[in-house]
Amino acid sequence: MTRPFLGFGLGLRTEHYTHVLQHKPDVDWFEIISENYMVPGGKPLHYLDQIRRDYPIVMHGVSMSIGSTDPLNLDYLKNLKQLIERVQPRWISDHLCWTGVNRTNSHDLLPLPYNEETIRHVVEQIKQVQDYLGQRILVENLSSYVTYKDSEMTEWDFIDEIVQRADCYLLLDINNIFVSAHNHHFDPLDYINAMDGARVMQFHLAGHSYHDDMIIDTHDHDVCDPVWSLYQVALKKFGAVSTMIERDDHIPAFPELRRELAIAEGIAARVLNPQQRKIRPAKPQSEEVIYGLTA
Ligand SMILES: [Fe+2]
């Protein structure tokens, strides 16, 4: 079993466009928010066209609404496919959620009830998307603040069942596991230990905020120590997995984010064996490098 390993990346944010172009920082890859580039012309595409010459790109969406009972939005998928053809990303991802119903967009990533009926529906939706795009996609686990009385299983069993049946990949957000574990009182290690490593293609790391007894997934702080500890556990279990830090508010100067990314690199250097640590595959012109999964 093998997976492509891109190394250590950051979310590409408008605040950093000029820094990235001028300084070509030592970052292995960037993740873009797909919707920010799904408009003809404009500054974001102008910068992305240049940055993608120097860095591998992955695309991360927030609007597919794969779990909604609405039919799939074919206009959205058409625009997404056009962007894929332009950017040539290493892979694309979106969230295992719904964002609206009856064509009303909540602009929020809403959790699903964990039951067989939902699994069947979401699997069918993912298969349709993969058929249309001609490639497997990654689905990301959410952070959540509510549960459904119709849920019949754990979140990790629900996700594992979906990725197996849909034959897709998983973008495992380590911070989201930590946030949901706190909010819903489960052990995050149970979650990580239940995941099938063959399906885990990427990690997200991020910061969060405490609001009374809840944690909100705000992406406006540094990654906290307990999330770094979980990241270490995940690396030990899954081996080398492409890792990136999401920062969407209180965005610091690029060098500061780069220093935070170095913490992830340091943990990986301690956890992974030398063969797995042969990282840095990668500028777009280079050959894809494949790494073994076993730690
Ligand atoms: Fe995430």
Side-chain angles (χ1 to χ4, degrees), residues 140 173 176 204 246:
E140 178 181 356
D173 189 313
N176 287 352
H204 269 173
E246 298 181 288

Side-chain angles (χ1 to χ4, degrees), residues 207-244:
H208 53 248
S209 304
Y210 281 81
H211 293 261
D212 298 324
D213 59 343
M214 299 280 284
I215 303 182
I216 309 294
D217 182 32
T218 45
H219 294 187
D220 60 351
H221 284 77
D222 292 348
V223 177
C224 70
D225 287 344
V227 170
W228 284 127
S229 298
L230 281 181
Y231 174 60
Q232 181 167 331
V233 170
L235 276 180
K236 275 184 185 160
K237 175 171 168 61
F238 303 124
V241 174
S242 305
T243 298
M244 63 83 67

